[in-house]
Amino acid sequence: MTNVRLIARLDVKGPNLIKGVHLEGLRIIGDPQEYARRYYEQGADELIYIDIVASLYGRNNLMDIVQHAARDVFVPMTVGGGIRSSDDVRDLLRAGADKGAINTAVVKRPELISEVSRRFGSQCMVLSIEAKSRDDGRWEVYTDCGRERSGIDAVEWARRGIELGAGEILLTSIDREGTRKGFDAALTRAVASAVTVPVVASGGYGEARHLAEVVSAGADAVAFADALHYNRTTMSQLREVARAQSIPVRQG
Amino acid sequence: MSKPEITVIDYGIGNLFSVQGALEHCGANVRMSSSAADIVDAERLLLPGVGAFADGMQGLRNRGLIEPLLRFAATGRPLLGICLGMQMLATASEEFGEHEGLGLIPGRVKQVPARTVTGESHKIPHIGWSEISPAPGADWSGTMLQDTAAGTPVYLVHSFHLVPDSPAHLLADCGYGGHRVTAAVCSGAILGAQFHPEKSGKEGLKMLSAFLRL
């Protein structure tokens, strides 16, 4: 089995690292640079930055933050929030990002997925899906950081995104995000079994067994946010938690 | 002691900035250039790149950089290709049709098998951290891996890899779904890494530092 990637996710608003519940009720955590450096030093396999209000206001604050991080952080960085064009992706790559994560803009205009993947390679095009469960046992895609319904089925959207050229899926469960109740394993399983590209599960880590649950559901990588930000655990402890449950992770 | 000099080829493809940042972190004096003269005169050269093989070769061709690159390689000074930059060292690639490469490492760029050795489908692109091992008979001393321990994890993201004609050019490989996938190649002072040393944390920086001392 391939090593499961353990990723630190940093949601930012303006100059601040923030954290919410269900992508709402945001609280300021601190300086994103300081946290990014800490997670890198602790052995994070990757970092994900999401500017959580960029879509809403039509701008992107991340450039500065990413540029700073790139001086100290030498693991891959995925950056999203407010990307509207392949030129936006180019700018983020120039700032030091490795991949662009896009949700709202590709729901509005799916061809953007092909444009980005043709221009920079599919590995740069991360399809960000924020999904919420429906009463019928399926999941609906939300845009604008969990605020707007799209009417689109998350699993079908994942499949279509891959056809269009997405190289990875960042899958955030709005229901579980910030709750510490565990990842949405059913959602992860449904998406991971529908696509051939890696799936990053995000939202809900509370305790050790949650990691095993989401990995056995098919997650190739797992993102952690408030568990790290509030010092409930560290990247090195998460690595131990994984090993203790026979989940292969990077050595060292 | 003066800073080691390195020229990074800017040919309009890929992310040069993280490579530059990592090299500077390792104490190098980095020159980004798309000039033929700079390439021929370089102390050591880095050919980066992500994306499709044909686009990469076209980027070099359009800027008239293929001949200078080959001239540089003939001097025996150190050259490092990373990711697509490594694949372009090969004779040819099978990515989206048949494409000619630089021919510095005899071999072909082939698809990473889409199924494991036991026939199950696995994820392509291959993204993540894999442990590299010396290929049979390979000697890491005198290469960028000289300070690296066997089993060190590195970050890879790729769907294709370079399969050298001669096993003597295979420096390191890693496992994926039971297959051995090329991680690094070497022929004299010409080195190629499929993985991203600039994104492989402290171990990756160590490799870049070693390259800067070659």
Side-chain angles (χ1 to χ4, degrees):
Chain A
M1 195 180 164
T2 318
N3 286 336
V4 172
R5 285 172 284 151
L6 305 178
I7 300 178
R9 173 171 174 161
L10 299 100
D11 289 347
V12 299
K13 181 183 179 185
N16 294 315
L17 173 65
I18 56 91
K19 192 67 201 86
V21 177
H22 307 305
L23 301 173
E24 290 174 342
L26 310 174
R27 235 194 273 174
I28 292 178
I29 305 283
D31 173 13
Q33 174 72 359
E34 187 191 319
Y35 285 80
R37 209 155 39 194
R38 181 187 306 167
Y39 301 150
Y40 167 68
E41 294 292 337
Q42 289 173 359
D45 289 332
E46 286 185 47
L47 300 186
I48 294 176
Y49 283 98
I50 303 288
D51 184 333
I52 61 127
V53 291
S55 285
L56 191 61
Y57 297 111
R59 62 185 163 73
N60 200 319
N61 273 312
L62 279 178
M63 219 64 87
D64 274 359
I65 293 176
V66 172
Q67 227 153 15
H68 268 93
R71 286 183 209 145
D72 294 320
V73 172
F74 300 101
V75 293
M77 294 194 289
T78 298
V79 181
I83 297 175
R84 283 183 172 65
S85 64
S86 72
D87 280 354
D88 289 344
V89 175
R90 176 202 59 199
D91 293 344
L92 284 169
L93 295 180
R94 287 206 173 155
D98 298 277
K99 319 175 196 181
I102 320 181
N103 171 16
T104 306
V106 292
V107 168
K108 286 186 184 144
R109 201 169 67 79
E111 315 82 73
L112 179 57
I113 296 176
S114 311
E115 290 166 22
V116 171
S117 85
R118 249 186 269 129
R119 187 164 167 192
F120 306 106
S122 66
Q123 80 291 335
C124 282
M125 175 60 232
V126 178
L127 175 61
S128 169
I129 299 180
E130 286 163 4
K132 206 167 158 47
S133 59
R134 287 192 318 212
D135 294 340
D136 63 357
R138 300 193 67 87
W139 296 267
E140 180 176 349
V141 171
Y142 277 62
T143 64
D144 297 279
C145 223
R147 281 176 291 264
E148 303 291 334
R149 302 179 62 160
S150 71
I152 298 170
D153 180 82
V155 177
E156 275 162 34
W157 176 229
R159 215 177 267 135
R160 171 138 165 74
I162 302 320
E163 280 167 19
L164 289 167
E168 196 169 16
I169 291 176
L170 169 61
L171 183 61
T172 306
S173 160
I174 298 171
D175 302 306
R176 297 301 178 89
E177 204 277 329
T179 64
R180 308 178 187 180
K181 288 181 183 159
F183 300 92
D184 190 336
L187 168 65
T188 306
R189 182 171 289 113
V191 171
S193 59
V195 299
T196 52
V197 303
V199 174
V200 183
S202 180
Y205 181 77
E207 53 189 287
R209 66 184 171 89
H210 295 153
L211 180 58
E213 280 166 14
V214 76
V215 169
S216 56
D220 301 278
V222 185
F224 303 86
D226 71 35
L228 296 170
H229 304 338
Y230 291 121
N231 276 317
R232 286 190 286 120
T233 186
T234 64
M235 269 293 165
S236 9
Q237 279 168 2
L238 286 169
R239 212 164 280 287
E240 290 310 315
V241 161
R243 286 200 192 103
Q245 299 177 96
S246 306
I247 298 166
V249 288
R250 165 163 73 113
Q251 301 297 312
Chain B
M1 214 174 83
S2 67
K3 282 185 163 189
E5 303 274 339
I6 185 161
T7 302
V8 176
I9 303 181
D10 179 0
Y11 60 111
I13 194 160
N15 184 356
L16 308 177
F17 303 89
S18 48
V19 161
Q20 182 183 10
L23 289 167
E24 282 170 355
H25 191 89
C26 295
N29 207 351
V30 184
R31 176 164 60 178
M32 318 287 276
S33 179
S34 51
S35 125
D38 285 350
I39 287 173
V40 175
D41 293 341
E43 221 165 86
R44 57 179 72 70
L45 207 54
L46 192 143
L47 179 59
V50 294
F53 190 94
D55 295 346
M57 287 303 294
Q58 195 59 44
L60 291 177
R61 204 171 292 124
N62 288 346
R63 288 165 180 77
L65 299 181
I66 292 183
E67 194 264 346
L69 241 164
L70 296 177
R71 266 173 63 198
F72 174 89
T75 64
R77 292 193 292 257
L79 164 65
L80 171 61
I82 294 178
C83 197
L84 174 64
M86 173 234 211
Q87 295 182 0
M88 291 192 299
L89 301 176
T91 319
S93 168
E94 298 172 4
E95 185 184 11
F96 306 125
E98 178 82 12
H99 304 282
E100 197 185 333
L102 295 167
L104 292 170
I105 304 264
R108 293 178 68 76
V109 176
K110 299 182 178 187
Q111 206 148 12
V112 174
R115 291 186 176 277
T116 67
V117 284
T118 52
E120 296 148 49
S121 67
H122 60 177
K123 301 294 171 90
I124 302 286
H126 170 217
I127 300 182
W129 294 78
S130 294
E131 290 82 26
I132 52 170
S133 315
D139 183 4
W140 286 2
S141 62
T143 75
M144 68 181 295
L145 299 178
Q146 61 188 6
D147 303 326
T148 301
T152 295
V154 294
Y155 183 76
L156 295 114
V157 42
H158 64 133
S159 306
F160 288 78
H161 69 138
L162 198 174
V163 181
D165 292 343
S166 160
H169 292 146
L170 187 61
L171 188 62
D173 60 10
C174 58
Y176 190 50
H179 301 282
R180 296 312 294 177
V181 169
T182 301
V185 292
C186 178
S187 169
I190 301 167
L191 284 154
Q194 180 61 62
F195 56 90
H196 289 272
E198 77 281 13
K199 290 289 167 183
S200 295
K202 293 184 178 92
E203 288 296 330
L205 296 175
K206 215 194 262 181
M207 296 172 194
L208 290 176
S209 298
F211 179 71
L212 291 168
R213 291 196 310 271
L214 294 181

